[in-house]
Amino acid sequence: MSENTKVEAKRVFIGAGCNRVVNNVSWGASGLVSFGAQNAVAVFCPKTAQILTTLPGHKAAVNCTHWLPSSKFAFKAKNLDRHYLLSGDSDGIIILWELSTLHNNWRHVLQLPLSHKKGVTCITAYMVSETDAMFASASSDGVVNLWDVSFPAQSSEECKVVCLDSICVDTKAIVTLALAELPQNPGRFALALGGLDNKIKLYSGERTGKFTSVCELKGHTDWIRSLDFSLPLHITEQTTDCIMLVSSSQDKVIRIWKLVLVGDVGSWRREITLASYIEGPVFISGTSTYQISVESVLIGHEDWVYSVEWEPPVINSIDGRLVNHQPLRILSASMDKTMMIWRPEKKTGVWVNVVCVGELSHCALGFYGGHWSPNGLSILAHGYGGSFHLWRNVSSSKEAENWQMQEVPSGHFAAVTDVTWARTGEYLLSVSHDQTTRVFSSWKNEEGNEAEDEHWHELARPQVHGHDINCVAMVQGKGNHRFVSGAEEKVVRVFEAPLSFLKTLNHTCAGGEGSFPEDLQADVQVLGANMSALGLSQKPIYLHSSSEPLERNGGGDGLDTFETVPEAAPVELKEPPIEDQLAFHTLWPESHKLYGHGNELFSLCGDHKGNLVASSCKAQSASMAEIWLWEVGTWKAVGRLQSHSLTVTHLEFSYDDTMLLSVSRDRHFSVFSIQRTDNGEVSHKLMAKVEAHKRIIWACSWNPFGHQFATSSRDKTVKIWSIESDARIKQILALPQFGSSVTAVAWTGLDRKEKSGCVAVGMESGLIELWTIKIIETEEGTTATAALALRLEPFMCHVSAVNRLVWKPTEKCESNQSLLRLTSCADDNCVRVFDFKF
């Protein structure tokens, strides 16, 4: 391959979970939803339930995102071709991004010049006009900064951001903010702050400068968690306007406050009476006097109320004029696993809860926030498990509402440590420090034909564990789908696909590819699996017992009554499952436990025929650094390979299964020959041990067309080695030094005749590069040439260390492949799939 060969890259799929913080999610007037996924800002489209992109730039976890304009100001954003997004991280940095809706491309506009000393906890904004906005950011050290931003009219101009004021409110954190223009007082704003001292602090000021404290609102008895101002409400025919402020707290109560203009400073006098005390505090802003009173107290949630939000304004036509009208509806989300919609009754005006939606499963640990769509027909919650939950009102009549759950994107909410493809590549399997194993696959769309763009979804969650999972390997060969996983424990666990999964697989794009024939499915007697009370072993649910699950739980001698985990109900899924099903009804039964290692598991791999699995664990000594070989089927230990003195970080069998390559923290690689004797026993011998790099070796990968392999290391290099005919190992190539530690490497074949292949390189910085490698074998020995084929742009890559790269298996690696598919996983909680056209 020559230098100038053009390789095209296409983003196929991104799976990621949402950071577990409160103000992390924002639904924009653009119709897109933003959220923080570790150090990246992710953006997804609720219509397709696909994550569109991730934005690289933050060096710490993203705590909050906020669209300009958000769904609240969608009525001011009818024909914008550019939308903006603010994101704040736990280092105090805030970045402004621009989305051009015409070309659908993102741009890093600027980083705010004045950063917070501690993590950003909340960002709120008020759109003054289509091109002007004010926004405020709060930090956990009690400082609030107010900003003015003006967007350019032409694309050639830049955004202007000015810091208006910095308010040092308190030594304690401010966790929520709300900003509004005061009624009948253009240019004057009210800023409400909520924090850990149970009081709502109200500040007032002009768009040009300083904000001053005007009053405090007392009533809540625990931390204030969320505040939101309504847009002006017209109370009567007269011009008296008011705005309302809704607040929620960890005291489980929602309060609605009414802020009314009562007159000019000179004309209005207050009599100090008992009645005036009940009516609430009064403050002056400019030439106007305002009074704040409690409109209503809403009690209905049974746990902390993390968010409250007014329904976005709707636009009504009155006498030919378009008037935006603020609906009196509030959405609240709570840790009691429910979201509620509140509105006043028509006759009495009493606020009541009219809609209650939520997850009732035992595993969703409550909601961190709830958001309206711009048109008010959908509501979105994000939960403790990094998950999204979306409901849409599908009812045509205004009176009877019918909220139905919709598809959402999903993914891991902690570092993804390993990923692997199914045997023929029909799905991929990833494991993570969030203690889950997940299956992702593309689904057929309704028409049955595959669309231009595949839509990927989470298909199953085979393992929900009690320890962080470090490694996974698919068992190759014939028969049912099986995988082995290793977690922060000494046991390797073997899982086998249940019947419910095999039937569900038929509805995915790859399901028809003979992945597991119908006649063999008849042998599978297990329908699914149940979670045990302590969340470590998963017990099978058999086909014949599925009719009487209740008898098994009740009765007996009462010994199992502490197992309050409800029974799983595994079924064939004909459409992508929602979080509730995934978390509980798609488990795979555990068929074996493999004991032998003395420390936590670190690496696993299987051979290509499906006969052996190799495993390694964390090690500080040679005895702990043994590699164990297990025979598939009997699951007996058939070998203990000694060579390394520290943790073996990666293992891989050669494509002809005659050799096992291991790389280690001790900076050496070892090659073992693996032979089967006539009576079926496995024999192994250490062929070579070489000190290959100056720092820890992170990964290795074999050439599919020969006995060459690549190793990658923290010393920022990738080296290519060849096993010569006399069993000597020599280095035949070193790629030019990379920009950061090389944490993942994967080799795939391009052309067998030319002995050419492609090596994907993943780095600690999250970046991925492709190099084409050509092996030249002569009588003197083996040599190789390499050329950079593609450097993926940062917007397509990960933002943290890449932990694994794996090429999708192709039919026997035949000659001339032009379309290749690669999956990657990283510390940024993301699993990605790319297509490359050579």
Side-chain angles (χ1 to χ4, degrees), residues 456-683:
W456 281 64
H457 296 278
E458 193 175 338
L459 182 68
R461 212 166 285 170
Q463 187 183 7
V464 177
H465 203 40
H467 295 290
D468 295 4
I469 308 175
N470 291 330
C471 48
V472 67
M474 251 0 236
V475 177
Q476 303 298 319
K478 299 208 163 23
N480 196 358
H481 298 251
R482 285 175 293 186
F483 73 87
V484 287
S485 76
E488 293 281 328
E489 53 176 351
K490 301 171 187 178
V491 189
V492 182
R493 295 174 188 270
V494 186
F495 295 85
E496 197 157 321
L499 197 57
S500 56
F501 176 81
L502 300 173
K503 291 186 167 171
T504 300
L505 207 53
N506 292 335
H507 299 287
T508 65
C509 287
E513 295 175 11
S515 54
F516 191 52
E518 290 282 333
D519 53 331
L520 288 177
Q521 288 188 19
D523 299 338
V524 180
Q525 291 298 308
V526 178
L527 184 63
N530 260 324
M531 183 114 53
S532 71
L534 297 174
L536 288 175
S537 286
Q538 290 166 194
K539 314 253 181 347
I541 298 172
Y542 292 97
L543 278 172
H544 51 78
S545 67
S546 59
S547 51
E548 68 280 347
L550 297 172
E551 281 83 288
R552 218 150 36 103
N553 254 6
D557 49 10
L559 288 175
D560 289 341
T561 47
F562 73 91
E563 295 210 14
T564 54
V565 182
E567 287 275 310
V571 289
E572 174 182 353
L573 300 166
K574 296 189 168 65
E575 56 191 33
I578 53 175
E579 178 69 20
D580 211 23
Q581 293 166 305
L582 283 169
F584 207 62
H585 303 303
T586 59
L587 293 169
W588 289 20
E590 191 181 298
S591 61
H592 293 85
K593 292 184 186 68
L594 313 182
Y595 295 96
H597 286 291
N599 280 334
E600 295 88 4
L601 268 293
F602 198 84
S603 179
L604 283 165
C605 78
D607 69 358
H608 297 82
K609 294 190 188 76
N611 297 326
L612 292 173
V613 167
S615 63
S616 73
C617 71
K618 291 180 184 174
Q620 298 289 335
S621 64
S623 59
M624 282 295 172
E626 286 182 333
I627 298 162
W628 286 59
L629 291 180
W630 311 87
E631 187 170 47
V632 172
T634 64
W635 295 110
K636 288 196 174 82
V638 291
R640 291 164 70 170
L641 284 54
Q642 292 169 338
S643 169
H644 295 286
S645 57
L646 293 171
T647 307
V648 173
T649 52
H650 196 189
L651 299 157
E652 199 169 292
F653 283 95
S654 62
Y655 279 76
D656 58 6
D657 288 340
T658 59
M659 296 181 209
L660 174 65
L661 170 66
S662 62
V663 295
S664 163
R665 201 175 271 280
D666 64 13
R667 306 170 187 182
H668 290 71
F669 68 73
S670 299
V671 179
F672 301 88
S673 73
I674 307 288
Q675 303 291 337
R676 271 192 180 270
T677 56
D678 296 340
N679 57 3
E681 287 180 6
V682 177
S683 69

Side-chain angles (χ1 to χ4, degrees), residues 202-213:
L202 215 58
Y203 282 71
S204 171
E206 288 182 288
R207 208 181 140 197
T208 50
K210 294 282 177 236
F211 272 60
T212 52
S213 173

Side-chain angles (χ1 to χ4, degrees), residues 140-162:
S140 51
D141 60 2
V143 174
V144 176
N145 291 341
L146 278 139
W147 303 83
D148 189 273
V149 57
S150 50
F151 304 123
Q154 276 87 32
S155 54
S156 55
E157 297 169 20
E158 277 300 321
C159 291
K160 294 183 184 66
V161 179
V162 184

Side-chain angles (χ1 to χ4, degrees), residues 108-146:
H108 177 298
V109 181
L110 55 89
Q111 182 180 314
L112 292 198
L114 177 67
S115 60
H116 288 282
K117 303 272 185 301
K118 287 209 173 155
V120 182
T121 53
C122 179
I123 299 173
T124 188
Y126 187 91
M127 295 297 294
V128 182
S129 69
E130 279 195 1
T131 55
D132 287 300
M134 259 183 89
F135 67 90
S137 59
S139 143
S140 51
D141 60 2
V143 174
V144 176
N145 291 341
L146 278 139

Side-chain angles (χ1 to χ4, degrees), residues 391-435:
W391 287 268
R392 199 164 111 243
N393 184 9
V394 294
S395 166
S396 50
S397 78
K398 285 205 165 180
E399 298 310 311
E401 296 184 14
N402 180 12
W403 294 85
Q404 295 289 328
M405 286 204 85
Q406 306 294 308
E407 283 170 23
V408 283
S410 66
H412 294 284
F413 58 88
V416 189
T417 45
D418 202 355
V419 65
T420 181
W421 287 97
R423 293 170 301 199
T424 54
E426 61 265 53
Y427 59 85
L428 57 89
L429 189 75
S430 60
V431 297
S432 160
H433 283 166
D434 70 5
Q435 309 189 343

Side-chain angles (χ1 to χ4, degrees), residues 67-326:
W67 282 92
L68 302 172
S70 62
S71 56
K72 181 177 187 172
F73 293 99
F75 68 95
K76 287 189 177 176
K78 280 290 167 248
N79 42 17
L80 291 184
D81 55 359
R82 285 194 297 281
H83 288 255
Y84 294 85
L85 178 64
L86 289 159
S87 58
D89 67 26
S90 54
D91 279 352
I93 304 288
I94 297 175
I95 296 179
L96 178 67
W97 311 87
E98 177 189 85
L99 165 66
S100 162
T101 46
L102 297 174
H103 311 105
N104 203 13
N105 66 332
W106 282 88
R107 182 169 82 85
H108 177 298
V109 181
L110 55 89
Q111 182 180 314
L112 292 198
L114 177 67
S115 60
H116 288 282
K117 303 272 185 301
K118 287 209 173 155
V120 182
T121 53
C122 179
I123 299 173
T124 188
Y126 187 91
M127 295 297 294
V128 182
S129 69
E130 279 195 1
T131 55
D132 287 300
M134 259 183 89
F135 67 90
S137 59
S139 143
S140 51
D141 60 2
V143 174
V144 176
N145 291 341
L146 278 139
W147 303 83
D148 189 273
V149 57
S150 50
F151 304 123
Q154 276 87 32
S155 54
S156 55
E157 297 169 20
E158 277 300 321
C159 291
K160 294 183 184 66
V161 179
V162 184
C163 186
L164 299 175
D165 198 0
S166 185
I167 308 168
C168 189
V169 182
D170 198 337
T171 50
K172 290 186 181 155
I174 297 294
V175 293
T176 176
L177 298 167
L179 195 58
E181 198 165 32
L182 286 166
Q184 303 283 313
N185 207 341
R188 284 203 160 266
F189 289 84
L191 172 70
L193 307 100
L196 316 189
D197 62 356
N198 313 352
K199 291 182 270 203
I200 300 167
K201 300 176 177 65
L202 215 58
Y203 282 71
S204 171
E206 288 182 288
R207 208 181 140 197
T208 50
K210 294 282 177 236
F211 272 60
T212 52
S213 173
V214 289
C215 69
E216 286 185 344
L217 306 179
K218 297 173 185 170
H220 286 294
T221 57
D222 206 334
W223 294 5
I224 313 290
R225 272 322 218 179
S226 181
L227 295 165
D228 191 31
F229 275 115
S230 70
L231 288 163
L233 301 157
H234 303 275
I235 303 175
T236 58
E237 293 304 309
Q238 299 143 7
T239 56
T240 313
D241 279 15
C242 77
I243 54 174
M244 287 200 192
L245 172 67
V246 60
S247 62
S248 73
S249 159
Q250 288 182 190
D251 64 9
K252 310 175 192 174
V253 172
I254 300 164
R255 288 174 173 262
I256 303 172
W257 313 79
K258 195 177 193 173
L259 196 148
V260 187
L261 173 70
V262 287
D264 292 339
V265 172
S267 64
W268 192 78
R269 284 275 178 280
R270 180 170 199 175
E271 295 167 23
I272 303 299
T273 62
L274 185 60
S276 71
Y277 176 76
I278 295 167
E279 281 164 2
V282 171
F283 71 89
I284 294 168
S285 182
T287 58
S288 306
T289 307
Y290 297 90
Q291 180 160 33
I292 303 174
S293 56
V294 176
E295 164 78 5
S296 187
V297 178
L298 313 182
I299 299 171
H301 284 294
E302 293 168 13
D303 209 333
W304 299 357
V305 185
Y306 265 142
S307 89
V308 279
E309 193 176 279
W310 289 95
E311 185 177 337
V314 290
I315 296 180
N316 292 342
S317 177
I318 300 173
D319 306 332
R321 290 181 307 121
L322 289 178
V323 179
N324 63 295
H325 149 72
Q326 169 72 62

